[in-house]
Amino acid sequence: MKRFARSTVPEPAPTATWLLLLALTGVTYAIGELHVEGPVLIFGALGVALLKGRLIAWRYMELARVQPLWRLVVGAWLAAVGGLIATAFLLAGS
């Protein structure tokens, strides 16, 4: 069976990834507790959520070890969902 080339991006240890996810959850909580409103709240929380989604997919779903096409598909899916949410927010404000 052919092994696929690993990503050139260095992988953090699982514990480091978990700690980063925990810190990002804290950032999202802080954004809410600071009573931030409007685009800063939406795009800040959305950006953190997309970053967490990417970390989970690459590290825990092992996308760092598969064909680049799969990484592209999952990355495009995350970008599309984030873009649709951002578009809905911008259109709702009009």
Side-chain angles (χ1 to χ4, degrees):
M1 179 190 308
K2 180 181 174 185
R3 298 263 317 156
F4 300 106
R6 291 181 56 129
S7 172
T8 58
V9 177
E11 285 185 49
T15 303
T17 302
W18 179 77
L19 289 171
L20 180 56
L21 288 168
L22 190 62
L24 289 171
T25 300
V27 168
T28 305
Y29 176 78
I31 289 172
E33 285 298 310
L34 292 173
H35 303 291
V36 178
E37 296 180 5
V40 174
L41 170 66
I42 297 299
F43 293 114
L46 183 59
V48 170
L50 293 175
L51 178 59
K52 287 172 64 176
R54 186 207 179 275
L55 283 170
I56 290 167
W58 262 246
R59 181 64 179 156
Y60 297 111
M61 294 173 64
E62 302 274 341
L63 284 183
R65 299 181 193 324
V66 298
Q67 291 179 352
L69 175 63
W70 286 111
R71 291 192 295 267
L72 178 67
V73 167
V74 173
W77 176 78
L78 282 169
V81 169
L84 288 171
I85 292 170
T87 301
F89 171 75
L90 292 172
L91 291 176
S94 300

